[in-house]
């Protein structure tokens, strides 16, 4: 609220457009991959800056134990199909992964 | 390559090749993997060679040059299409690290180019049939082998060994990975019966196979080879995460699964599918390790940093595969 706009996501998106539309065509071919990687990094950072982090606290609150304990319990088979909380664990993992993909790999979600 | 190293290399090659008049006419650094340096050597008499040596920073899980040379020799003898291995130098005084020399082979390996081409490798279906035949030749190499003793004892149960190895890898990492645990537990619940282990290339995928318009010119990057279930290689090649966006072509983004299996011979499809889940888990864990090299400061690098952001997409795919397999 008190920060000066435009915000981080806007700046990154705007800068990325300049990179792809103005700089990339002027670069030698052997630098194109590096420029595309920079553009990819900026897109991920822009999505991370724009994401509401509330999902993380909500996911942790529902998780049986902390992430390390949850991982260990999965390994021990305590959330196997047929176990009492299998379905809840599956839904929680889906929700966490969907939120992670929204920043890192949005194309993995249904669109791909 | 500086003059002093080049002079030492020339002396060494003269002795190794039994050619006192051998000269190096040109050297150039080829674009290699993250782990090795590959130099193109043009040598008198029209000889075109590649010299392979280590980068300063190497992954702990990959084999050294002497071991890779032994794997190449075994593969070459088994009829696998690999660059012919010529000389091994284990004396670090020559170049600063052990190296070996092999014949230079022409072709294209870059994954994104390969999956877009309808003609590379002799055409899509012919190419994946040839890849099936290459894998069958690799898998004709069976333990025990004195020349491959560095691979250790072959596991009695390769699927169980894979799960144990991956869990150890997760236990070494900084952050817990519940989704990878979910996938590994699924693999443990659904593991097929043990099969006799064979030599598995363990990185046989689009990007590591060199092609020209006529066919396969070289199977590259042997540093992760191990004794395991032969279906592990078929699963790694077919895994969706290694199709470079060409998802409809299930064999490496290049051609059909049916043609690959036909070229290979006898395939247990259910076992391959198990190894495809395994492939996503293993690649995700490798991606975590690569990103950690950047995060820890061992090797600050944008490509490594971005590789870490592939993990959530791989996890999503693992969840979908496990869900579908559990529902079936």
């Amino acid at each position: 609220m008190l920060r000066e706009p435009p915000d981080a996501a806007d700046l990154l998106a705007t800068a990325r457009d300049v990179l792809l539309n103005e700089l990339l065509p002027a670069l030698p071919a052997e630098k194109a991959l590096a420029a595309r990687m920079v553009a990819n990094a900026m897109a991920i950072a822009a999505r991370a800056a724009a994401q509401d982090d509330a999902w993380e606290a909500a996911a942790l609150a529902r998780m049986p134990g902390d992430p390390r304990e949850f991982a260990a319990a999965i390994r021990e088979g305590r959330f196997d199909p047929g176990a009492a909380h299998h379905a809840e664990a599956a839904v929680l993992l889906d929700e966490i992964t969907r939120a992670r993909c929204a920043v890192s790999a949005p194309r993995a979600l249904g669109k791909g | 390559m500086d003059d002093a190293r080049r002079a030492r290399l020339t002396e060494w090659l003269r002795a190794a090749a039994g050619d006192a008049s051998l000269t190096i006419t040109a050297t150039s650094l080829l674009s290699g993997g993250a782990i090795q340096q590959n130099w193109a050597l043009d040598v008198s008499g029209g000889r075109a060679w590649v010299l392979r040596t280590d980068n300063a920073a190497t992954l702990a899980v990959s084999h050294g040059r002497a071991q890779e040379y032994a794997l190449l020799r075994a593969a070459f003898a088994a009829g696998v299409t690999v660059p012919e291995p010529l000389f091994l130098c284990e004396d670090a005084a020559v170049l600063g690290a052990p190296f070996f020399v092999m014949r230079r082979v022409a072709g294209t390996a870059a994954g994104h180019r390969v999956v877009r081409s309808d003609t590379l490798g002799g055409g899509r279906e012919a190419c994946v049939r040839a890849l099936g035949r290459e894998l069958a030749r690799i898998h004709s190499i069976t333990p025990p082998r004195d020349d491959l003793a560095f691979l250790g004892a072959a596991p009695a149960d390769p699927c169980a060994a894979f799960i144990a190895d991956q869990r150890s890898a997760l236990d070494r990492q900084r952050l817990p990975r519940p989704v990878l645990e979910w996938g590994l537990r699924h693999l443990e619940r659904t593991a097929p019966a043990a099969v006799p282990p064979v030599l598995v290339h363990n990185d046989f995928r689009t990007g590591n196979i060199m092609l020209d318009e006529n066919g396969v010119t070289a199977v590259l990057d042997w540093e992760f080879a191990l004794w395991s279930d032969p279906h592990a290689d078929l699963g790694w090649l077919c895994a969706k995460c290694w199709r470079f966006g060409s998802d409809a072509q299930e064999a490496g983004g290049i051609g059909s699964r049916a043609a690959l299996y036909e070229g290979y011979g006898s395939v247990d499809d259910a076992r391959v599918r198990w190894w495809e889940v395994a492939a996503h888990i293993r690649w995700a864990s490798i991606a975590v390790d690569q990103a950690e090299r950047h995060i820890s400061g061992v090797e600050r690098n944008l490509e490594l940093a971005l590789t870490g952001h592939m993990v959530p997409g791989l996890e999503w795919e693992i969840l979908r595969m496990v869900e579908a397999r559990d529902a079936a």
Side-chain angles (χ1 to χ4, degrees), chain A residues 7-66:
Chain A
D7 65 13
D10 184 328
L11 284 172
L12 284 163
T14 308
R16 185 171 179 272
D17 282 344
V18 174
L19 172 65
L20 289 176
N21 298 325
E22 295 180 36
L23 300 181
L24 179 57
L27 285 173
E30 70 269 20
K31 296 296 179 193
L33 177 64
R36 289 190 186 284
M37 287 198 297
V38 172
N40 188 14
M42 293 169 84
I44 294 169
R47 291 191 296 265
Q51 188 179 54
D52 182 347
D53 323 329
W55 70 268
E56 201 164 22
L60 287 169
R62 284 164 55 205
M63 190 175 284
D66 65 25

Side-chain angles (χ1 to χ4, degrees), chain B residues 12-276:
Chain B
W12 190 88
L13 287 173
R14 284 177 175 173
D19 175 358
S21 62
L22 178 151
T23 56
I24 299 171
T25 54
T27 64
S28 63
L29 186 59
L30 300 166
S31 55
I35 302 166
Q36 295 86 26
Q37 277 186 5
N38 294 313
W39 290 84
L41 302 183
D42 291 339
V43 178
S44 53
R47 289 166 284 188
W49 293 346
V50 170
L51 183 154
R52 196 156 154 84
T53 188
D54 290 295
N55 273 339
T58 59
L59 284 175
V61 292
S62 70
H63 303 305
R65 277 336 97 217
Q67 298 174 349
E68 197 179 358
Y69 185 77
L71 286 161
L72 269 183
R73 296 223 324 178
F76 188 77
V80 183
T81 307
V82 290
E84 183 183 354
L86 298 172
F87 317 111
L88 169 69
C89 175
E90 297 190 80
D91 179 2
V94 180
L95 285 188
F99 64 89
F100 67 81
V101 176
M102 57 188 172
R103 275 193 215 288
R104 192 149 89 229
V105 172
T108 302
H112 290 99
R113 285 175 60 192
V114 166
V115 299
R116 280 197 210 106
S117 169
D118 288 328
T119 57
L120 271 174
R124 292 181 180 277
E125 296 297 270
C127 181
V128 295
R129 261 194 297 275
L131 294 179
R133 289 194 296 272
E134 294 292 342
L135 277 179
R137 289 183 201 123
I138 294 170
H139 298 162
S140 73
I141 301 169
T142 54
R145 290 266 302 230
D146 287 344
D147 56 331
L148 304 177
F150 58 88
L151 295 176
D157 183 342
C159 294
F162 172 83
I163 293 165
D165 284 351
Q166 289 299 308
R167 285 178 172 161
S168 303
L170 290 178
D171 289 342
R172 287 192 297 270
Q173 289 173 357
R174 194 164 49 87
L175 299 174
R177 298 283 169 181
V179 173
L180 303 188
E181 296 287 356
W182 187 258
L184 282 170
R185 177 62 189 162
H186 169 88
L187 290 182
E188 189 170 52
R189 287 190 279 109
T190 63
V195 288
V198 301
L199 185 70
V200 163
H201 178 285
N202 211 26
D203 203 7
F204 190 96
R205 61 165 177 84
T206 305
N208 285 339
I209 298 152
M210 197 172 269
L211 306 170
D212 68 11
E213 296 294 318
N214 299 313
V216 177
T217 61
V219 177
L220 305 172
D221 292 313
W222 288 78
E223 62 263 35
F224 298 104
L226 80 175
W227 302 122
S228 185
D229 179 341
H231 299 80
D233 273 338
L234 291 159
W236 189 252
L237 176 63
C238 289
K240 195 173 158 193
C241 56
W242 288 123
R243 294 182 198 159
F244 291 86
S246 175
D247 288 349
Q249 306 286 355
E250 293 188 8
I254 299 172
S256 73
R257 185 185 291 268
L260 171 72
Y261 287 8
E262 189 188 301
Y264 185 79
S266 172
V267 176
D268 177 345
D269 179 64
R271 195 177 276 276
V272 177
R273 306 285 177 160
W274 188 94
W275 281 104
E276 286 179 46

